[in-house]
Amino acid sequence: MTDRDPLLGRRTVIKGAGLGLLAGALADTTAAQSATCIEGASTQIWSNEYWAKKDDIPLWMYRKRVGEPKAGERPKPVVFFVHGSSVTSRVFDLDVPGHGEYSMMDAFARYGFDCWTMDHENYGKSGRTSGNSDIASGVEDLRIATEVIARETGQQKFHFIGESSGALRAGAYAMAAPARIDRLVFAAFTYKGEGSPTLKKRAEQLDYFRSHNMRKRDRDMIRSIATRDRPGTSDAAVIEALADAEMAFGDQIPTGTYLDMTANLPVVHPQKVLAPVLLVRGEYDGIATVTDLEEFYNELPSGDRQFIILPGTAHSVTLATNRQLFWHVTRAFLTMPAPIAT
């Protein structure tokens, strides 16, 4: 540990004996959170599609908020959701009838945010190229996308929520464009990847990732996202709904982020991430150890930072059964009052 040891009060970590206390406290607030969404449900969520252009590559963007934008209105805070390696932006806007709310975009629209997401190059509705869509490519995608958001909202700074390699994309973009960043939420993040069983297993295919720009991503692979660390932490029906949404785009997905995560870490250097950061890890996540994330956390320059471990969740916190824990800590972080200078 450094002299900025998080045990001295710099960090918020939920683990050990605190898990029971947190679970009880959040159980009490779940009804209040649900009530917020139910109240907002009577107000129509407006949505719209946009297209950005990266050279000749079309990039699909999507937006959700309560109410259609009107000239002269007070702007809502913008939050941009950044997807990971094996899924598209559908992971943030999934509809699973009979299984509760799984659209994080809908939930955060009702919380008062102007929610945006995109499909990165070679994903979803965006254009197909011969590239491998690595982290650097994702940073360029975000640069182009934020120009669209700035034009449409009149705002210049945005919150970012990234999951898995989406957190790496968001972090790398934060290094490249600090003036665009308000607050950052990194979920299922990895720093150096040391001690990661998932990355160790993935590295067995490193030669393939180096020689191929696409890899197979079938229904079984999508299922494995929810089962490889801790079966039971996600609802099987929800993962099937995700697979249904994803398979509409075929069974091939880019290798670039897998290559970066097995051969090129770290791609996000904490000393260069100047914005406030919430670092979120699922209790059973196999892609990053607590030690790996603590090292990243300790090197962040902003005193406005938190490291939270969510009980009963694994790698994918967005679609976990306990996803509302993730919503709770994320909403609290994004709506924190400005600190009084001392």
Side-chain angles (χ1 to χ4, degrees), residues 4 60 98 169 222 283-284 296:
R4 291 156 61 187
W60 183 80
R169 289 184 176 110
I222 294 171
E283 179 184 6
Y284 303 112
F296 181 85

Side-chain angles (χ1 to χ4, degrees), residues 227-281:
T227 60
R228 68 188 181 211
D229 296 328
R230 185 79 167 196
T233 52
S234 294
D235 184 337
V238 172
I239 304 307
E240 290 302 318
L242 175 64
D244 289 342
E246 292 293 335
M247 296 310 295
F249 303 107
D251 66 354
Q252 299 292 310
I253 213 81
T255 58
T257 56
Y258 267 30
L259 177 59
D260 280 336
M261 294 173 78
T262 52
N264 300 322
L265 292 178
V267 295
V268 180
H269 302 282
Q271 302 89 343
K272 297 180 180 180
V273 179
L274 306 181
V277 173
L278 169 61
L279 199 59
V280 179
R281 179 185 186 270

Side-chain angles (χ1 to χ4, degrees), residues 260-329:
D260 280 336
M261 294 173 78
T262 52
N264 300 322
L265 292 178
V267 295
V268 180
H269 302 282
Q271 302 89 343
K272 297 180 180 180
V273 179
L274 306 181
V277 173
L278 169 61
L279 199 59
V280 179
R281 179 185 186 270
E283 179 184 6
Y284 303 112
D285 190 2
I287 209 160
T289 65
V290 173
T291 300
D292 186 56
L293 297 179
E294 282 179 335
E295 183 178 353
F296 181 85
Y297 175 88
N298 287 337
E299 295 300 323
L300 289 168
S302 175
D304 187 354
R305 66 192 194 276
Q306 299 178 37
F307 177 19
I308 293 180
I309 296 175
L310 299 181
T313 60
H315 181 63
S316 179
V317 296
T318 302
L319 295 182
T321 300
N322 289 320
R323 65 203 176 280
Q324 288 192 352
L325 303 182
F326 179 46
W327 298 0
H328 176 89
V329 298

Side-chain angles (χ1 to χ4, degrees), residues 82 135 138-140 142-143 146 158-160 166-186 189 267-277 296 300:
V82 190
I135 298 298
V139 170
E140 185 64 10
L142 293 176
R143 185 186 70 79
T146 52
F158 322 113
H159 302 308
F160 286 80
L168 296 178
R169 289 184 176 110
Y173 177 71
M175 293 192 300
R180 285 288 197 204
I181 309 300
D182 196 341
R183 301 176 81 81
L184 296 163
V185 179
F186 296 157
F189 181 80
V267 295
V268 180
H269 302 282
Q271 302 89 343
K272 297 180 180 180
V273 179
L274 306 181
V277 173
F296 181 85
L300 289 168

Side-chain angles (χ1 to χ4, degrees), residues 42 94 117 165 172 305 341:
S42 62
L94 198 62
T117 191
S165 67
R305 66 192 194 276

Side-chain angles (χ1 to χ4, degrees), residues 36 40 64-66 74-79 105-115 155 159 331 335:
T36 300
K64 280 191 163 184
R65 47 167 280 164
V66 170
R74 181 177 180 180
K76 300 175 183 290
V78 171
V79 59
M105 292 185 75
D106 281 357
F108 275 69
R110 292 178 185 129
Y111 293 156
F113 293 94
D114 190 344
C115 300
Q155 299 187 66
H159 302 308
R331 181 187 183 189
T335 57

Side-chain angles (χ1 to χ4, degrees), residues 22 38 40 49 56 60 111 114 133 149 155 201 260 270 277 286 301:
L22 173 76
I38 291 170
E49 295 179 311
D56 293 328
W60 183 80
Y111 293 156
D114 190 344
S133 303
I149 299 173
Q155 299 187 66
K201 180 68 176 175
D260 280 336
V277 173

